[in-house]
Amino acid sequence: MSKQMNEEKLIWSEIDNINDSSTKLYKYLYDLYYTDRIKSVSSIEKVLASYLGDSRSSIRRVAIYGLLFGLKIQKEKYRTKAIQFINEPDSDLDLRMFSLSGLSQAYMGTSDVALLKLFYSLYGSDEDTDMRATCFAGMLRILGLSTMEITQMNGDVIITQEDINLERFTQQLDEIKTIVADKKS
């Protein structure tokens, strides 16, 4: 039996021992992609992907975040699922924001037009200030800026809606506006 198969069996065995505790399952799934205990990315991916349809929002949140932000997997099925979570009227705010953050990390530096349009649209229209800040930072990541660079450009202040120093991001915002306007789809 391959090492990957053994790791996958180990993961499922450990999940079976959690006994339906959402909090313990959330922590376990989170630890899968932030510890080096399990080496097989494909095993972690399979497990996380299996929870994208879970009835618990917190479990869907940790699964999509792990696939996109933690593992940085650029697969259309995960992108589509994240966008579905973002656009679902019944999705909770944390699920929407984790999906946005995950997409911005997985597609960092790609200048992905469709994602920039989505983020820009939400940045301009969403009433929640945390969503707006997540979209703002996400657009900058998609352009290729790291979180550290964004923080430094913002005067060493972590991005929150109240603390965005827009004057420092004029060039990037102009670039985003140009990309969004030039590439009508």
Side-chain angles (χ1 to χ4, degrees):
M1 188 177 285
S2 74
K3 181 176 170 124
Q4 178 182 340
M5 291 295 287
N6 285 335
E7 285 188 332
E8 201 170 319
K9 284 180 76 171
L10 173 66
I11 293 168
W12 286 116
S13 172
E14 291 174 347
I15 287 173
D16 285 344
N17 290 326
I18 290 175
N19 297 327
D20 293 331
S21 168
S22 290
T23 304
K24 288 180 182 175
L25 180 59
Y26 182 98
K27 170 123 177 60
Y28 183 84
L29 294 174
Y30 179 88
D31 287 345
L32 273 180
Y33 53 87
Y34 277 123
T35 64
D36 288 332
R37 193 172 66 84
I38 303 295
K39 304 294 183 205
S40 170
V41 172
S42 63
S43 293
I44 297 170
E45 178 185 355
K46 282 182 193 174
V47 171
L48 292 174
S50 75
Y51 284 100
L52 290 175
D54 196 88
S55 62
R56 298 162 289 189
S57 179
S58 64
I59 301 302
R60 291 192 311 273
R61 179 175 66 227
V62 75
I64 197 68
Y65 191 75
L67 291 164
L68 297 172
F69 197 98
L71 300 177
K72 297 167 188 54
I73 297 173
Q74 291 184 6
K75 288 188 178 175
E76 189 60 36
K77 63 184 175 180
Y78 304 140
R79 176 186 172 120
T80 300
K81 188 53 112 170
I83 292 170
Q84 177 188 337
F85 290 155
I86 293 163
N87 290 326
E88 273 181 8
D90 295 334
S91 285
D92 72 22
L93 184 61
D94 286 338
L95 178 57
R96 294 178 73 210
M97 290 195 321
F98 276 53
S99 295
L100 286 164
S101 292
L103 284 169
S104 72
Q105 188 67 33
Y107 291 88
M108 182 177 175
T110 64
S111 294
D112 185 289
V113 175
L115 288 179
L116 284 172
K117 284 183 178 186
L118 172 66
F119 280 63
Y120 189 75
S121 170
L122 290 170
Y123 174 71
S125 66
D126 203 286
E127 294 177 11
D128 184 87
T129 57
D130 291 332
M131 277 288 290
R132 288 177 50 82
T134 300
C135 288
F136 183 81
M139 289 186 295
L140 296 175
R141 272 193 215 95
I142 292 169
L143 282 182
L145 295 175
S146 69
T147 300
M148 182 176 282
E149 291 169 314
I150 295 167
T151 303
Q152 288 171 343
M153 287 179 71
N154 200 45
D156 290 326
V157 176
I158 294 175
I159 295 284
T160 65
Q161 186 58 34
E162 297 81 25
D163 296 325
I164 297 174
N165 191 341
L166 288 175
E167 305 83 48
R168 296 176 185 239
F169 297 100
T170 303
Q171 178 184 344
Q172 289 79 16
L173 287 172
D174 287 346
E175 185 178 345
I176 292 166
K177 288 176 189 174
T178 300
I179 291 170
V180 170
D182 285 350
K183 312 254 174 124
K184 298 289 181 191
S185 56

